[in-house]
Amino acid sequence: MKKKTYELDLTTQGPLYPPSEVMDGDGNFIVIGAINYPTAAGGCETQWGRAIVSPNSKVPPFGGMATYEIVESFDDPIPAHIAGKVLHTLPLPLPCTNYPMLFAPEQYPQANSEKRPSYAFHKTPIPDLKPEHGRQLQDPVTLADWTRARGELAVELVGNRRVARFSFLFEGLLPCSLYTIMSLRQHDLNPSGPTRPGPLGVPNVFVTNYQGTGQYDVVLPNPFPSPDTAGANRIVNVVVLWMSDQMSHGGAIGRYGLGGDIHAQLKFRKPMFDDFITQA
């Protein structure tokens, strides 16, 4: 396999905990993604779905699963009372999280100890911002706005299969906004030794136009080593993140991660790219 094109899936979720990287004004998670449902036998099963989830949901150890406390499930088309919900960041410390990772350890080693409330997306603090700087996002962002996002990714192996080119096209994203592209690698969520999620290229940001369209192109060295290669840590997913603080963080995808300042809007429902093998 040398080239393939994919359609990205709409989401509000990174890993399973916290259940979402988006909250409503009542402090509940708005989940479009993998939801942990109870089974008739008293267990837990994960299915892709849509729900309002309580922040009082049980949190298992990292790598474990527990059923979400579902306030209300919903489907597509989204009911008006849910579609109109104004989107908020997660407060700090992050609720319902079990992920033992600093996202920017060199820049912000104390990020996990900071405290702040949840903010509506359009009112999230931006460091050193003054009114005359012209903040572009002025109006509340609703779930209906969020769900307009669409994205396409083309992956092509080049350079004698030593590198891969990732080419994205987007529409329906939040207009005039800064986005980050994140790579999720095979071991990033490994309970026995997670690796730190990183950017898909550096710089790894793009800015949408006033219509919410955008594009991003990057070439990465050996992103899909053979699984039997010693130390292989293949890219298995990509995540398109809206940045609520409108900042880029170099070799880190964010300061707090997981809804504190990054908010997953598009990704794949399951691991991808099995058809590709690259070499160092």
Side-chain angles (χ1 to χ4, degrees), residues 177-198:
S177 288
L178 184 74
Y179 278 82
T180 283
I181 306 289
M182 165 188 157
S183 65
L184 185 67
R185 292 181 181 266
Q186 183 177 0
H187 299 301
D188 285 354
L189 300 177
N190 182 353
S192 63
T195 49
R196 182 168 63 92

Side-chain angles (χ1 to χ4, degrees), residues 110-161:
Q110 304 302 318
N112 287 355
S113 64
E114 295 188 29
K115 297 181 180 180
R116 76 175 192 184
S118 173
Y119 291 97
F121 277 4
H122 68 298
K123 293 184 177 180
T124 305
I126 298 176
D128 298 313
L129 180 71
K130 294 182 179 180
E132 61 266 27
H133 294 161
R135 182 176 189 153
Q136 296 299 292
L137 186 64
Q138 296 285 332
D139 299 322
V141 178
T142 66
L143 185 59
D145 298 325
W146 189 258
T147 58
R148 296 189 181 101
R150 302 289 183 272
E152 179 183 280
L153 166 63
V155 178
E156 181 181 11
L157 302 189
V158 295
N160 198 25
R161 299 183 181 269

Side-chain angles (χ1 to χ4, degrees), residues 3-239:
K3 185 174 183 179
K4 192 171 181 178
T5 300
Y6 308 84
E7 293 291 329
L8 292 154
D9 296 304
L10 179 73
T11 193
T12 62
Q13 184 185 63
L16 288 174
Y17 297 93
S20 172
E21 297 181 349
V22 174
M23 278 185 155
D24 63 17
D26 298 320
N28 294 311
F29 297 103
I30 303 176
V31 186
I32 299 175
I35 297 177
N36 289 341
Y37 294 100
T39 65
C44 178
E45 65 178 1
T46 303
Q47 296 181 8
W48 195 269
R50 301 181 176 204
I52 306 300
V53 172
S54 169
N56 298 318
S57 297
K58 294 180 181 179
V59 182
F62 178 59
M65 288 175 55
T67 57
Y68 291 169
E69 183 178 326
I70 297 176
V71 176
E72 181 178 1
S73 295
F74 61 96
D75 209 336
D76 190 17
I78 303 174
H81 71 284
I82 295 180
K85 282 181 175 288
V86 174
L87 305 189
H88 289 64
T89 68
L90 273 58
L92 303 175
L94 296 168
C96 285
T97 185
N98 59 11
Y99 193 45
M101 186 67 62
L102 275 170
F103 284 83
E106 294 182 9
Q107 301 171 67
Y108 310 110
Q110 304 302 318
N112 287 355
S113 64
E114 295 188 29
K115 297 181 180 180
R116 76 175 192 184
S118 173
Y119 291 97
F121 277 4
H122 68 298
K123 293 184 177 180
T124 305
I126 298 176
D128 298 313
L129 180 71
K130 294 182 179 180
E132 61 266 27
H133 294 161
R135 182 176 189 153
Q136 296 299 292
L137 186 64
Q138 296 285 332
D139 299 322
V141 178
T142 66
L143 185 59
D145 298 325
W146 189 258
T147 58
R148 296 189 181 101
R150 302 289 183 272
E152 179 183 280
L153 166 63
V155 178
E156 181 181 11
L157 302 189
V158 295
N160 198 25
R161 299 183 181 269
R162 295 184 182 277
V163 300
R165 175 175 289 112
F166 297 77
S167 301
F168 296 83
L169 291 174
F170 302 105
E171 61 181 24
L173 299 182
L174 301 188
C176 303
S177 288
L178 184 74
Y179 278 82
T180 283
I181 306 289
M182 165 188 157
S183 65
L184 185 67
R185 292 181 181 266
Q186 183 177 0
H187 299 301
D188 285 354
L189 300 177
N190 182 353
S192 63
T195 49
R196 182 168 63 92
L200 189 78
V202 176
N204 65 318
V205 297
F206 67 95
V207 177
T208 55
N209 66 13
Y210 72 98
Q211 294 178 319
T213 63
Q215 66 179 61
Y216 180 74
D217 296 279
V218 67
V219 172
L220 256 66
N222 193 24
F224 309 119
S226 175
D228 57 7
T229 302
N233 198 9
R234 293 170 55 89
I235 291 178
V236 296
N237 209 331
V238 295
V239 189

